[in-house]
Amino acid sequence: MVVAGEMDSNVTELEDFWNILQDMDLVWTTTVLLVPCVVLLTAGSFYLYSFIMGLLSKMSVRNKVVVLTDALSGLGKECAGVFHRGGARLILCGKNWEKLEELADELASASDPTVTFPSKLVLLDFGDMDSMPEVTSEILECYGCLDVLIFNSGMKVKAPAQSVSLEMDKLLMDNNYFGPATLAKGLLPSMISRRTGHLLLVSSIQGRISVPFRTAYAASKHAVQAFFDCLRAEVEEYGISVSTINTTFISGSASSSSSSTEASRSIWSLLYTKKPLGVSPDEAATEIVRTLSSRRKEVVVAPSLPKAALYARSFFPDLFFAVVAAGVKGAAAAENM
């Protein structure tokens, strides 16, 4: 009887073990089947989202009058192509009439004229403030109104503060602040009368934080950032949106200038090198289209390090200033070696 009891116990244990194996097999089979399904479903969702966003992006500019203040820069040409294919009524601005004509011809030859509009051209140089009233009138004469005004022009200078002349300071402020502010104020009445419009400023992350040897440049970017931040609240009641996109560095910009050699070898220069922390024109253009569609008020297009610097400046200012100063001292020591 004892032996029979032991045998029954062993059989029961074997049955329990077998049941456990079957349960594990069922779990394993379910997992094997579920994981690919989840992956496919996730991938499909992302594809559908991208497809829908692409359609919305095209719809956001179709038949709308879009002004680019610097259509000849790398970003300007990329935006011109995207908006032209999307069916926008483009007004291309720039300093060189011949190059503007070449760009307009390229856009026309690469598109279907039955679904696109020929580009209008306007000479624009923010360094010539006396021409702003005439430029404003020419832009309004193109279509009688405008829907989207994109400020993507800018001027850059990198040098120690004491070596930058007052004339250069004024030229920077004209190009980066007074010019955009004057044009915005000149075109705003048209938007206000129609109670619609979107102003989008493509600016630098240095409108939020400051990097050594760019005193005048950072000052101009802080000024224009503050102007559009204030303007946003003022025009909201008229149905006008104001967006700012802050980037680190947009490669292929044709409108920038520099009064120094390559960036210093300090760790701080990592924030503004072309690689790996720069932004390509197509990436920036994609973000511009997305912002026009979503009407987001503020966007930062930057890798994690510059974004961390933004937070450090806000929450740990002493640490931020110490790192900046250490970077300058480190660069000076490396150059003297």
Side-chain angles (χ1 to χ4, degrees):
M1 294 293 295
V2 175
V3 174
E6 290 178 352
M7 290 179 64
D8 291 339
S9 176
N10 290 336
V11 170
T12 302
E13 290 177 358
L14 287 173
E15 289 178 348
D16 293 340
F17 181 70
W18 177 249
N19 290 333
I20 292 173
L21 287 178
Q22 286 183 318
D23 291 340
M24 290 178 63
D25 185 59
L26 180 61
V27 171
W28 175 252
T29 303
T30 304
T31 303
V32 169
L33 292 175
L34 271 179
V35 169
C37 292
V38 171
V39 171
L40 288 174
L41 184 60
T42 304
S45 300
F46 277 113
Y47 176 80
L48 183 60
Y49 173 79
S50 301
F51 179 74
I52 293 175
M53 287 302 296
L55 290 178
L56 291 176
S57 298
K58 290 182 178 180
M59 291 173 60
S60 66
V61 297
R62 183 170 298 280
N63 294 322
K64 291 188 176 181
V65 179
V66 179
V67 180
L68 287 170
T69 61
D70 185 6
L72 299 178
S73 65
L75 174 59
K77 291 180 179 178
E78 187 70 30
C79 287
V82 171
F83 295 146
H84 185 71
R85 291 189 298 270
R89 303 172 188 261
L90 278 178
I91 301 177
L92 306 178
C93 303
K95 299 179 182 180
N96 189 301
W97 184 261
E98 287 74 20
K99 291 183 178 179
L100 283 174
E101 287 184 321
E102 291 176 5
L103 176 58
D105 291 340
E106 291 175 7
L107 294 174
S109 61
S111 61
D112 183 355
T114 62
V115 294
T116 58
F117 299 93
S119 302
K120 305 285 187 178
L121 310 180
V122 175
L123 277 176
L124 170 60
D125 182 1
F126 283 138
D128 182 11
M129 291 299 299
D130 293 334
S131 67
M132 286 301 103
E134 182 181 353
V135 169
T136 302
S137 298
E138 288 184 16
I139 290 176
L140 290 174
E141 287 172 2
C142 289
Y143 288 103
C145 64
L146 71 157
D147 299 293
V148 178
L149 178 55
I150 299 176
F151 297 92
N152 68 304
S153 56
M155 180 179 178
K156 300 178 183 177
V157 169
K158 176 180 178 290
Q162 67 274 14
S163 67
V164 180
S165 65
L166 179 60
E167 289 73 19
M168 181 58 71
D169 284 341
K170 291 179 178 179
L171 187 59
L172 274 169
M173 291 300 292
D174 283 345
N175 277 275
N176 295 345
Y177 170 61
F178 287 117
T182 302
L183 185 62
K185 289 190 286 186
L187 295 174
L188 263 176
S190 173
M191 290 185 171
I192 291 175
S193 66
R194 298 173 63 233
R195 303 190 71 83
T196 184
H198 197 153
L199 289 84
L200 190 149
L201 171 70
V202 182
S203 187
S204 169
I205 200 172
Q206 291 190 63
R208 308 278 298 282
I209 58 175
S210 301
V211 176
F213 305 113
R214 293 168 176 84
T215 49
Y217 176 70
S220 67
K221 289 300 181 181
H222 272 71
V224 75
Q225 179 79 31
F227 175 85
F228 281 95
D229 283 347
C230 292
L231 184 64
R232 180 183 297 114
E234 294 181 21
V235 300
E236 185 174 355
E237 63 175 304
Y238 304 111
I240 300 172
S241 300
V242 177
S243 302
T244 59
I245 298 179
N246 299 99
T247 68
T248 47
F249 178 89
I250 299 177
S251 59
S253 177
S255 60
S256 63
S257 63
S258 176
S259 64
S260 67
T261 57
E262 292 296 319
S264 63
R265 287 173 285 176
S266 67
I267 187 172
W268 193 248
S269 67
L270 288 174
L271 283 176
Y272 296 96
T273 52
K274 293 183 182 180
K275 294 181 180 180
L277 302 181
V279 179
S280 65
D282 62 314
E283 290 174 320
T286 300
E287 188 56 54
I288 288 173
V289 174
R290 186 181 297 119
T291 302
L292 289 176
S293 179
S294 65
R295 294 186 175 269
R296 289 182 61 185
K297 294 177 174 60
E298 191 173 67
V299 179
V300 176
V301 184
S304 56
L305 180 58
K307 286 183 178 179
L310 280 175
Y311 288 112
R313 173 65 179 85
S314 299
F315 298 106
F316 309 102
D318 292 339
L319 173 62
F320 175 83
F321 295 134
V323 171
V324 173
V328 174
K329 293 177 182 178
E335 290 176 356
N336 293 330
M337 290 179 62

Coordinates of all heavy atoms in Angstrom, one line a residue, residues 128-176:
D128 N 19.7 97.1 -45.2 CA 19.3 98.4 -45.7 C 17.9 98.7 -45.2 O 16.9 98.5 -45.8 CB 19.2 98.3 -47.3 CG 18.9 99.6 -47.9 OD1 18.8 100.6 -47.2 OD2 18.6 99.6 -49.1
M129 N 17.9 99.3 -44.0 CA 16.7 99.6 -43.3 C 15.8 100.6 -44.0 O 14.6 100.6 -43.9 CB 17.0 100.1 -41.9 CG 17.5 99.0 -41.0 SD 16.4 97.6 -40.8 CE 14.9 98.4 -40.1
D130 N 16.5 101.5 -44.8 CA 15.7 102.5 -45.5 C 14.8 101.9 -46.6 O 13.8 102.6 -47.0 CB 16.7 103.5 -46.2 CG 17.4 104.4 -45.2 OD1 16.9 104.5 -44.0 OD2 18.5 104.8 -45.5
S131 N 15.1 100.7 -47.0 CA 14.3 100.1 -48.1 C 13.1 99.3 -47.6 O 12.3 98.8 -48.4 CB 15.2 99.1 -48.9 OG 15.6 98.0 -48.1
M132 N 12.9 99.2 -46.2 CA 11.9 98.4 -45.7 C 10.4 98.8 -46.1 O 9.6 98.0 -46.4 CB 12.0 98.4 -44.2 CG 13.1 97.5 -43.6 SD 13.0 95.8 -44.1 CE 14.2 95.7 -45.4
P133 N 10.1 100.1 -46.1 CA 8.8 100.5 -46.6 C 8.5 100.1 -48.0 O 7.4 99.6 -48.3 CB 8.8 102.0 -46.4 CG 9.8 102.3 -45.4 CD 10.9 101.3 -45.6
E134 N 9.5 100.2 -48.9 CA 9.3 99.8 -50.2 C 9.1 98.3 -50.3 O 8.3 97.8 -51.1 CB 10.4 100.2 -51.1 CG 10.3 99.9 -52.6 CD 11.5 100.3 -53.4 OE1 12.4 101.1 -52.8 OE2 11.6 100.0 -54.6
V135 N 9.9 97.5 -49.6 CA 9.8 96.1 -49.6 C 8.4 95.6 -49.1 O 7.8 94.7 -49.7 CB 10.9 95.5 -48.7 CG1 10.7 94.0 -48.5 CG2 12.3 95.7 -49.3
T136 N 8.0 96.2 -48.0 CA 6.6 95.9 -47.5 C 5.6 96.1 -48.5 O 4.7 95.3 -48.7 CB 6.3 96.8 -46.3 OG1 7.4 96.6 -45.3 CG2 5.0 96.4 -45.7
S137 N 5.6 97.2 -49.3 CA 4.6 97.5 -50.3 C 4.7 96.5 -51.4 O 3.7 96.0 -51.9 CB 4.8 98.9 -50.9 OG 4.7 99.9 -49.9
E138 N 5.9 96.1 -51.8 CA 6.1 95.1 -52.9 C 5.5 93.8 -52.5 O 4.9 93.1 -53.4 CB 7.6 95.0 -53.3 CG 8.1 96.2 -54.0 CD 9.6 96.0 -54.5 OE1 10.0 94.8 -54.5 OE2 10.2 97.0 -54.8
I139 N 5.8 93.4 -51.3 CA 5.2 92.1 -50.9 C 3.7 92.1 -50.9 O 3.1 91.1 -51.4 CB 5.8 91.7 -49.4 CG1 7.3 91.4 -49.5 CG2 5.0 90.5 -48.8 CD1 7.9 91.2 -48.1
L140 N 3.1 93.1 -50.4 CA 1.6 93.2 -50.4 C 1.1 93.3 -51.8 O -0.1 92.8 -52.1 CB 1.2 94.4 -49.6 CG 1.4 94.2 -48.1 CD1 1.0 95.5 -47.3 CD2 0.6 93.1 -47.5
E141 N 1.8 93.9 -52.7 CA 1.3 94.0 -54.1 C 1.3 92.7 -54.9 O 0.6 92.6 -55.9 CB 2.2 95.1 -54.9 CG 2.0 96.5 -54.5 CD 3.0 97.4 -55.1 OE1 3.8 97.0 -55.9 OE2 2.9 98.6 -54.8
C142 N 2.1 91.8 -54.4 CA 2.2 90.5 -55.1 C 0.8 89.8 -55.2 O 0.4 89.3 -56.2 CB 3.2 89.6 -54.4 SG 4.9 90.1 -54.6
Y143 N 0.2 89.7 -54.0 CA -1.1 89.0 -54.0 C -2.2 89.8 -53.3 O -3.3 89.3 -53.1 CB -1.0 87.6 -53.3 CG -0.3 86.6 -54.2 CD1 1.0 86.2 -53.9 CD2 -0.9 86.0 -55.3 CE1 1.7 85.3 -54.7 CE2 -0.3 85.0 -56.1 CZ 1.0 84.7 -55.8 OH 1.7 83.8 -56.6
G144 N -1.8 90.9 -52.8 CA -2.8 91.7 -52.0 C -2.9 91.4 -50.6 O -3.6 92.1 -49.8
C145 N -2.3 90.2 -50.2 CA -2.4 89.8 -48.8 C -1.3 88.7 -48.6 O -0.5 88.4 -49.5 CB -3.7 89.2 -48.5 SG -4.1 87.7 -49.4
L146 N -1.1 88.2 -47.4 CA -0.2 87.1 -47.1 C -0.8 86.3 -45.9 O -1.5 86.8 -45.1 CB 1.2 87.6 -46.8 CG 1.4 88.3 -45.5 CD1 2.9 88.1 -45.1 CD2 1.1 89.8 -45.6
D147 N -0.5 85.0 -46.0 CA -0.9 84.1 -44.9 C 0.2 83.6 -44.0 O 0.0 83.5 -42.8 CB -1.5 82.8 -45.6 CG -2.7 83.2 -46.4 OD1 -3.7 83.6 -45.9 OD2 -2.6 83.0 -47.7
V148 N 1.4 83.4 -44.5 CA 2.5 82.9 -43.7 C 3.7 83.8 -44.0 O 4.1 84.0 -45.2 CB 2.8 81.4 -44.1 CG1 4.0 80.9 -43.3 CG2 1.6 80.6 -43.8
L149 N 4.4 84.2 -43.0 CA 5.6 85.0 -43.1 C 6.7 84.3 -42.3 O 6.6 84.2 -41.1 CB 5.4 86.4 -42.5 CG 6.6 87.4 -42.5 CD1 7.2 87.5 -43.9 CD2 6.1 88.7 -42.0
I150 N 7.7 83.8 -43.0 CA 8.8 83.0 -42.4 C 10.1 83.9 -42.4 O 10.6 84.2 -43.5 CB 9.0 81.7 -43.1 CG1 7.7 80.9 -43.1 CG2 10.2 80.9 -42.5 CD1 7.8 79.6 -43.9
F151 N 10.6 84.1 -41.2 CA 11.8 84.9 -41.1 C 12.9 83.9 -40.9 O 13.2 83.3 -39.8 CB 11.8 85.8 -39.8 CG 10.7 86.9 -39.9 CD1 9.4 86.6 -39.4 CD2 11.0 88.1 -40.5 CE1 8.5 87.6 -39.5 CE2 10.0 89.1 -40.6 CZ 8.8 88.8 -40.1
N152 N 13.6 83.6 -42.0 CA 14.7 82.6 -41.9 C 16.1 83.1 -42.3 O 17.0 82.4 -42.5 CB 14.4 81.4 -42.9 CG 14.5 81.8 -44.4 OD1 13.8 82.8 -44.8 ND2 15.3 81.2 -45.1
S153 N 16.2 84.5 -42.4 CA 17.4 85.1 -42.7 C 18.2 85.4 -41.4 O 17.6 85.4 -40.3 CB 17.2 86.4 -43.5 OG 16.4 87.3 -42.7
G154 N 19.5 85.7 -41.5 CA 20.3 86.0 -40.3 C 21.7 86.3 -40.7 O 22.2 85.9 -41.8
M155 N 22.4 86.9 -39.8 CA 23.8 87.2 -40.0 C 24.6 86.8 -38.7 O 24.1 87.0 -37.6 CB 24.0 88.7 -40.2 CG 25.4 89.1 -40.4 SD 25.6 90.9 -40.7 CE 27.3 91.1 -40.8
K156 N 25.8 86.2 -38.9 CA 26.5 85.6 -37.8 C 27.9 86.3 -37.7 O 28.5 86.5 -38.8 CB 26.7 84.1 -37.9 CG 25.4 83.4 -37.9 CD 25.6 81.9 -38.1 CE 24.3 81.1 -38.2 NZ 24.5 79.7 -38.4
V157 N 28.4 86.5 -36.5 CA 29.7 87.0 -36.3 C 30.3 86.3 -35.0 O 29.6 86.3 -34.0 CB 29.8 88.5 -36.1 CG1 31.2 89.0 -35.6 CG2 29.5 89.2 -37.5
K158 N 31.5 85.8 -35.1 CA 32.1 85.2 -34.0 C 33.5 85.9 -33.7 O 34.3 85.9 -34.6 CB 32.3 83.7 -34.2 CG 33.1 83.0 -33.1 CD 33.3 81.6 -33.4 CE 34.1 80.9 -32.3 NZ 35.5 81.3 -32.3
A159 N 33.6 86.6 -32.6 CA 34.8 87.3 -32.3 C 34.7 87.8 -30.8 O 33.7 87.9 -30.3 CB 35.0 88.5 -33.2
P160 N 35.9 88.0 -30.2 CA 35.9 88.6 -28.9 C 35.2 90.0 -28.9 O 35.2 90.7 -29.9 CB 37.4 88.8 -28.5 CG 38.1 87.8 -29.4 CD 37.3 87.7 -30.7
A161 N 34.5 90.3 -27.8 CA 33.6 91.4 -27.7 C 34.4 92.7 -28.1 O 33.9 93.6 -28.8 CB 33.0 91.6 -26.4
Q162 N 35.6 92.9 -27.6 CA 36.3 94.1 -27.7 C 36.8 94.3 -29.2 O 37.2 95.4 -29.5 CB 37.6 94.2 -26.8 CG 38.7 93.1 -27.1 CD 38.4 91.8 -26.4 OE1 37.3 91.5 -26.0 NE2 39.4 91.0 -26.3
S163 N 36.8 93.3 -30.0 CA 37.3 93.4 -31.4 C 36.1 93.7 -32.4 O 36.4 93.8 -33.6 CB 38.0 92.1 -31.8 OG 37.1 91.0 -31.9
V164 N 34.9 93.6 -31.9 CA 33.8 93.9 -32.8 C 33.4 95.4 -32.8 O 33.2 96.0 -31.7 CB 32.5 93.1 -32.4 CG1 31.3 93.3 -33.3 CG2 32.9 91.6 -32.3
S165 N 33.4 96.0 -33.9 CA 33.2 97.4 -34.0 C 31.7 97.8 -33.8 O 30.8 96.9 -33.9 CB 33.6 97.9 -35.4 OG 32.8 97.4 -36.4
L166 N 31.5 99.0 -33.5 CA 30.1 99.5 -33.3 C 29.3 99.3 -34.6 O 28.1 99.0 -34.6 CB 30.1 100.9 -32.9 CG 28.7 101.6 -32.7 CD1 27.9 100.8 -31.6 CD2 28.8 103.0 -32.3
E167 N 30.0 99.6 -35.8 CA 29.3 99.4 -37.1 C 28.9 98.0 -37.3 O 27.8 97.7 -37.8 CB 30.3 99.8 -38.2 CG 30.5 101.3 -38.3 CD 31.4 101.8 -37.2 OE1 32.1 101.0 -36.6 OE2 31.4 103.0 -36.9
M168 N 29.7 97.0 -36.9 CA 29.3 95.6 -37.0 C 28.2 95.3 -36.1 O 27.2 94.5 -36.4 CB 30.5 94.7 -36.7 CG 30.2 93.2 -36.8 SD 29.6 92.8 -38.5 CE 31.1 93.0 -39.4
D169 N 28.2 95.8 -34.8 CA 27.1 95.6 -33.9 C 25.8 96.1 -34.5 O 24.7 95.4 -34.4 CB 27.3 96.4 -32.6 CG 28.4 95.7 -31.7 OD1 28.6 94.5 -31.9 OD2 29.0 96.4 -30.8
K170 N 25.8 97.3 -35.1 CA 24.6 97.9 -35.7 C 24.1 97.0 -36.9 O 22.9 96.8 -37.1 CB 24.9 99.3 -36.2 CG 25.0 100.3 -35.0 CD 25.3 101.7 -35.5 CE 25.5 102.7 -34.4 NZ 25.8 104.1 -34.9
L171 N 25.1 96.5 -37.7 CA 24.7 95.7 -38.9 C 24.1 94.4 -38.4 O 23.1 94.0 -39.0 CB 26.0 95.4 -39.7 CG 25.7 94.7 -41.0 CD1 24.8 95.5 -41.9 CD2 27.1 94.4 -41.7
L172 N 24.6 93.8 -37.4 CA 24.0 92.6 -36.8 C 22.6 92.9 -36.3 O 21.7 92.1 -36.6 CB 24.9 92.1 -35.7 CG 26.0 91.1 -36.1 CD1 26.9 90.9 -34.9 CD2 25.5 89.8 -36.6
M173 N 22.4 94.0 -35.6 CA 21.1 94.3 -35.1 C 20.1 94.6 -36.2 O 18.9 94.2 -36.1 CB 21.2 95.5 -34.1 CG 21.9 95.2 -32.8 SD 21.1 93.8 -31.8 CE 19.6 94.6 -31.3
D174 N 20.6 95.2 -37.2 CA 19.7 95.5 -38.4 C 19.2 94.2 -39.0 O 18.0 94.0 -39.3 CB 20.4 96.4 -39.4 CG 20.5 97.8 -39.0 OD1 19.7 98.2 -38.1 OD2 21.3 98.6 -39.6
N175 N 20.2 93.3 -39.3 CA 19.8 92.0 -40.0 C 19.0 91.1 -39.1 O 18.1 90.4 -39.6 CB 21.1 91.4 -40.4 CG 21.7 91.9 -41.7 OD1 21.3 91.5 -42.8 ND2 22.6 92.9 -41.6
N176 N 19.4 91.0 -37.8 CA 18.8 90.0 -37.0 C 17.6 90.5 -36.1 O 16.8 89.6 -35.6 CB 19.8 89.4 -36.0 CG 20.9 88.6 -36.8 OD1 20.7 88.3 -38.0 ND2 22.0 88.3 -36.1

